[in-house]
Amino acid sequence: MSLADTGRRMTAITMGIDHFERSRNDGRSLLDGEGLVPIYMGADIVAPNDYNSWDEVQSDLEALSKEIDGLPKGERKVFFEGMLISLKLAVRLFSGGSPTFEEKVVDLVGAPRGKVDPAIIETARDNLDRLLAGSGFTRGSLHDRVIAWEEDRAIDAERLEAVFTELMDEARQRTNEMIFDTGDYTMQLHPVSDVPYTARCNFNEGQMDLNTDLSFTRAALKHLVCHEVFPGHSTQLISTRAEVDAGRATADALLITANAITGCVQEGIGDQGVQLIDWIEDDDDQIHLELRRLRSAAQTTAAWVYMVEGKPAEEVMRYLREVAMGQEAWARGRLRMAAHPFRGPFIASYWAGNEAVRTVRERIRPAQKADFLKALYGRAQSPRSLDMFPAE
């Protein structure tokens, strides 16, 4: 079997799982109609397999496992192996199994087990301390100064859409020049409330959902535009479809939005978006970068101690307030997400994905950048397969 055959078969099986899970009417769906693959750009390329039972799915996954075993060693085989493990864990959940939170983090998401090293969190806090002092925020505790900075830099509600549009235009221009030409694609702002997320790429509707229960600095809104649209999720969707159409990528590239092992690198591209288009403009951007790094690490640790170590919700909330210095709605949203039986472990995908993309981005030579971007934006990747760049 060729890589192209394996990629097509994996895509047909994955989308078959997606359709079967969506069609369940027994009240046991774990994804509330969202499906295993929330956004699929390949309906006209690879049709889903038709399943009537989880036993049929398991049979196809076992056959796919034997096919993957026969592939040549390399990046694609490593990706297929990881994706297969992820799909098996998803099917185990969908069919009524009860894997542990740890199993879901490692096998479904592809992230490291455990808490983030406390030294990393303390380093981020030290960096924030220094950067805030340099920007004139010197009075009170670090928590007080972070809150003061966020309040001072908060965008007024009536200006939110105008700032969003300005940032979207600049991000699109930079992305088209540096990453991939998305043409005239853009997104509109769609305010939402009482949701567990900060922002979401609503690609099919052409809008970026933004949780207006939170306030946003310009730096924070810039990050979200880069994460969800340019050069993040929307850009990755458009570019992978173009690569498949051109025959440069196998069909599995169409699975980049899957709630599976692909999610780590998808979120990593989003969280590295500002750096990927070289858009660190000022001290506020540096402060937000460190603050986001801190919160990403802290939420990963918080989810682990909540779901694995059994720490009480109020203790975990206090940790998020004091260590991550997060707004109340953000902290509540983190616990809501962590407790979800399927989405919960994906809270670790932000930290793991950011580290996966950052590590490779920072080690490549300038002459390797074009090939790195092709690997990052043109193929489905897991953290392990991406770490193999550049392949010998």
Side-chain angles (χ1 to χ4, degrees):
M1 290 292 177
S2 68
L3 292 173
D5 291 334
T6 303
R8 180 171 287 270
R9 208 172 326 280
M10 175 169 277
T11 304
I13 292 171
T14 303
M15 294 314 301
I17 296 169
D18 172 271
H19 280 224
F20 187 44
E21 199 281 335
R22 287 177 191 260
S23 69
R24 298 169 70 187
N25 55 12
D26 59 4
R28 294 174 61 189
S29 173
L30 292 178
L31 289 173
D32 307 317
E34 180 182 272
L36 180 63
V37 187
I39 305 169
Y40 180 54
M41 297 276 283
D44 59 331
I45 299 176
V46 179
N49 286 356
D50 186 18
Y51 294 122
N52 293 299
S53 72
W54 291 117
D55 286 342
E56 293 177 10
V57 175
Q58 296 280 14
S59 178
D60 276 2
L61 288 174
E62 287 307 314
L64 182 63
S65 178
K66 293 183 176 65
E67 186 175 322
I68 292 170
D69 285 344
L71 293 176
K73 292 182 179 179
E75 172 207 301
R76 299 324 296 154
K77 182 175 184 177
V78 166
F79 168 73
F80 286 135
E81 288 172 337
M83 186 66 174
L84 179 67
I85 291 170
S86 188
L87 291 174
K88 286 182 175 181
L89 197 288
V91 169
R92 185 177 158 196
L93 270 166
F94 294 153
S95 58
S98 301
T100 65
F101 188 84
E102 179 176 348
E103 288 177 297
K104 289 184 279 189
V105 167
V106 175
D107 291 344
L108 178 64
V109 180
R113 61 172 46 83
K115 299 175 283 190
V116 176
D117 183 348
I120 291 174
I121 293 173
E122 286 308 308
T123 297
R125 287 172 60 87
D126 289 344
N127 290 341
L128 268 174
D129 187 19
R130 173 178 51 79
L131 289 164
L132 285 167
S135 292
F137 292 85
T138 58
R139 297 180 62 182
S141 67
L142 179 60
H143 179 276
D144 292 341
R145 285 181 286 144
V146 166
I147 301 305
W149 175 80
E150 289 189 313
E151 290 177 351
D152 184 75
R153 301 296 200 266
I155 303 168
D156 293 336
E158 62 271 15
R159 293 187 57 245
L160 194 62
E161 187 164 4
V163 176
F164 170 84
T165 301
E166 170 201 327
L167 292 169
M168 184 72 70
D169 289 345
E170 175 74 9
R172 179 175 57 196
Q173 179 182 334
R174 286 173 173 268
T175 297
N176 289 349
E177 291 174 357
M178 299 182 191
I179 306 289
F180 177 82
D181 189 350
T182 59
D184 59 0
Y185 180 83
T186 192
M187 270 194 170
Q188 303 300 312
L189 181 65
H190 181 231
V192 294
S193 62
D194 193 29
V195 293
Y197 55 82
T198 302
R200 185 177 65 173
C201 171
N202 197 338
F203 184 84
N204 292 334
E205 299 298 325
Q207 58 194 26
M208 190 183 96
D209 300 334
L210 186 70
N211 184 355
T212 51
D213 293 336
L214 301 166
S215 65
F216 299 95
T217 65
R218 183 180 184 276
L221 191 58
K222 176 198 284 191
H223 161 71
L224 293 173
V225 166
C226 289
H227 186 109
E228 308 296 341
V229 194
F230 304 117
H233 298 340
S234 292
T235 302
Q236 192 185 10
L237 279 161
I238 297 168
S239 62
T240 48
R241 172 62 197 243
E243 290 297 293
V244 172
D245 285 345
R248 292 187 293 265
T250 51
D252 54 280
L254 301 166
L255 300 176
I256 58 163
T257 71
N259 287 303
I261 202 168
T262 50
C264 270
V265 174
Q266 183 195 26
E267 300 300 352
I269 290 172
D271 270 2
Q272 285 284 298
V274 173
Q275 292 97 314
L276 285 166
I277 56 174
D278 192 22
W279 204 12
I280 302 290
E281 296 176 281
D282 52 29
D283 288 345
D284 281 353
D285 283 343
Q286 292 285 1
I287 289 170
H288 182 263
L289 188 153
E290 288 295 338
L291 189 56
R292 180 169 48 79
R293 182 171 173 80
L294 168 63
R295 288 172 175 166
S296 179
Q299 72 178 14
T300 301
T301 291
W304 187 268
V305 300
Y306 184 46
M307 298 302 298
V308 177
E309 298 181 5
K311 294 290 175 63
E314 187 49 46
E315 183 177 335
V316 180
M317 282 287 290
R318 186 163 58 251
Y319 171 82
L320 289 171
R321 292 187 197 107
E322 295 176 359
V323 175
M325 299 167 286
Q327 297 175 45
E328 194 69 14
W330 174 82
R332 288 198 305 270
R334 299 305 85 194
L335 258 65
R336 282 175 62 186
M337 180 177 180
H340 193 281
F342 191 92
R343 295 189 184 93
F346 284 94
I347 203 166
S349 67
Y350 297 91
W351 174 259
N354 184 74
E355 291 301 283
V357 176
R358 179 190 64 80
T359 300
V360 182
R361 179 184 64 80
E362 290 181 351
R363 78 172 180 229
I364 61 170
R365 301 187 304 273
Q368 296 173 312
K369 185 175 181 181
D371 287 338
F372 167 62
L373 292 176
K374 287 178 185 177
L376 190 62
Y377 280 88
R379 302 193 289 273
Q381 299 279 7
S382 67
R384 283 191 62 212
S385 67
L386 183 64
D387 191 52
M388 296 175 72
F389 181 88
E392 292 183 6

